[in-house]
Amino acid sequence: MSRTVTVGFDGSRESLAAVDWAAGEAVRRAAPLRILQVWSKDDDPRTRLVAPATAQGWGERALGTAGRRLRRRHPGLRTETQWVCGDPVEELCAAADEAELLVLGSRGLGGLAGFLAGSVSLAVLARTRGPVVLVRPHNRPAAGEDGPAGEVVVGLDVSAPGDEVLAFGFAAADRYGCGLRVLHTWAVPSLYGADMGAALQLMWAEVAQDARRALDEALAPWTEKYPGVSVVRECRQGRPAQDLAEASRGARLVVVGRRNRRARIGTHIGAVTHAVIHHSLAPVTVVPHD
């Protein structure tokens, strides 16, 4: 795996936001940026009658424009552009496996509909072995800005915390020079409700205590490794996806995990992660872990 930051590009508003976000990330990492456009003749009804050579000409001109704009904005950034013809999921997954980070644009519908990740993004998220960032159009930094000033939010399952998730979150907060909020929530089964008996209340108090202890144990090696990162720990009853969506308001980045496993009907990203990428107001990084 190289230290390159790779971003998917198709000329849309979402992909332009992703390109700008990825450029800022590449600068902070002192890594080159690769802008990749994948064209599939069969995926877009507008281009089914277009010859690949014509589509390549269009794509390379758009890539050239994007590359020149970034070089003006970030003079020291090493930028590479590439147009390929193939299956978008296959090509983006291959690019992700070669890169330090893959960045993709996602459509925001606004209101209750929240964050809509397209089928290509979801398929890539489910299959990649490295972290993938989803960026919405409003996450695009304005000219002259380094990005939002919020904290990094990490959603953590203390039963399977995944060192990769915490490693990414702490490194990001250290790189940005901002605080880190680590959030673990669990839901009390609705069967019990608010009128649970004393014995059940005691049981859930013990569950809460065990969760806080597990959270402290998971964070201990990382707070030692990154003593300069200010950490806020939240461990409480709630709804994980909803709490992370709320925490994304004003956040600089939300980081969630995806277990490396295969279900009977194929690889999936998990219910909480799926909900977060649809409803987060901040860019979301999905980090695969064992």
Side-chain angles (χ1 to χ4, degrees):
M1 179 182 293
S2 73
R3 297 199 61 249
T4 301
V5 173
T6 297
V7 56
F9 174 78
D10 63 6
S12 67
R13 189 166 64 104
E14 296 79 22
S15 71
L16 288 170
V19 166
D20 284 342
W21 192 94
E25 186 70 11
V27 169
R28 282 185 288 272
R29 292 170 179 254
L33 177 69
R34 179 189 181 197
I35 309 174
L36 174 65
Q37 183 169 19
V38 183
W39 181 75
S40 175
K41 184 176 182 179
D42 296 328
D43 283 348
D44 190 341
R46 297 169 300 178
T47 60
R48 285 176 183 166
L49 300 179
V50 176
T54 302
Q56 182 173 359
W58 292 347
E60 289 180 345
R61 283 194 292 275
L63 284 168
T65 299
R68 288 190 295 273
R69 183 175 62 83
L70 284 184
R71 283 187 283 271
R72 288 195 298 268
R73 186 170 180 178
H74 303 286
L77 177 63
R78 291 171 291 165
T79 304
E80 171 195 352
T81 61
Q82 183 179 10
W83 183 97
V84 297
C85 178
D87 179 82
V89 174
E90 296 289 341
E91 295 293 343
L92 287 169
C93 286
D97 289 342
E98 296 174 356
E100 187 169 285
L101 186 69
L102 176 67
V103 183
L104 301 174
S106 288
R107 242 181 324 135
L109 296 181
L112 295 177
F115 190 118
L116 177 66
S119 58
V120 169
S121 296
L122 290 175
V124 172
L125 284 174
R127 294 173 53 182
T128 52
R129 291 176 291 179
V132 179
V133 183
L134 295 180
V135 179
R136 292 178 64 173
H138 73 258
N139 301 140
R140 184 179 186 179
E145 292 185 358
D146 185 48
E151 61 193 355
V152 173
V153 174
V154 174
L156 195 67
D157 178 359
V158 297
S159 66
D163 283 344
E164 298 90 340
V165 178
L166 288 172
F168 192 98
F170 271 89
D174 183 61
R175 193 163 50 247
Y176 299 152
C178 68
L180 179 71
R181 182 176 300 272
V182 182
L183 176 62
H184 170 68
T185 59
W186 69 95
V188 174
S190 57
L191 170 66
Y192 300 132
D195 298 325
M196 66 176 69
L200 287 174
Q201 289 180 354
L202 178 60
M203 180 187 73
W204 282 108
E206 292 175 351
V207 169
Q209 184 178 20
D210 289 344
R212 284 192 292 270
R213 185 182 302 113
L215 179 60
D216 289 340
E217 291 175 355
L219 293 178
W222 299 102
T223 55
E224 182 178 351
K225 183 176 180 178
Y226 293 95
V229 174
S230 174
V231 181
V232 174
R233 307 162 194 235
E234 292 190 32
C235 188
R236 63 175 187 266
Q237 175 193 341
R239 298 180 181 275
Q242 181 177 324
D243 289 350
L244 284 168
E246 288 295 325
S248 74
R249 297 179 182 275
R252 182 165 193 149
L253 183 68
V254 174
V255 183
V256 290
R258 174 184 67 76
R259 293 289 297 273
N260 285 319
R261 59 188 179 187
R262 297 190 67 86
R264 291 182 180 179
I265 58 174
T267 305
H268 62 92
I269 62 175
V272 172
T273 295
H274 190 277
V276 170
I277 65 174
H278 280 77
H279 296 285
S280 174
L281 296 176
V284 178
T285 303
V286 179
V287 182
H289 65 92
D290 295 327

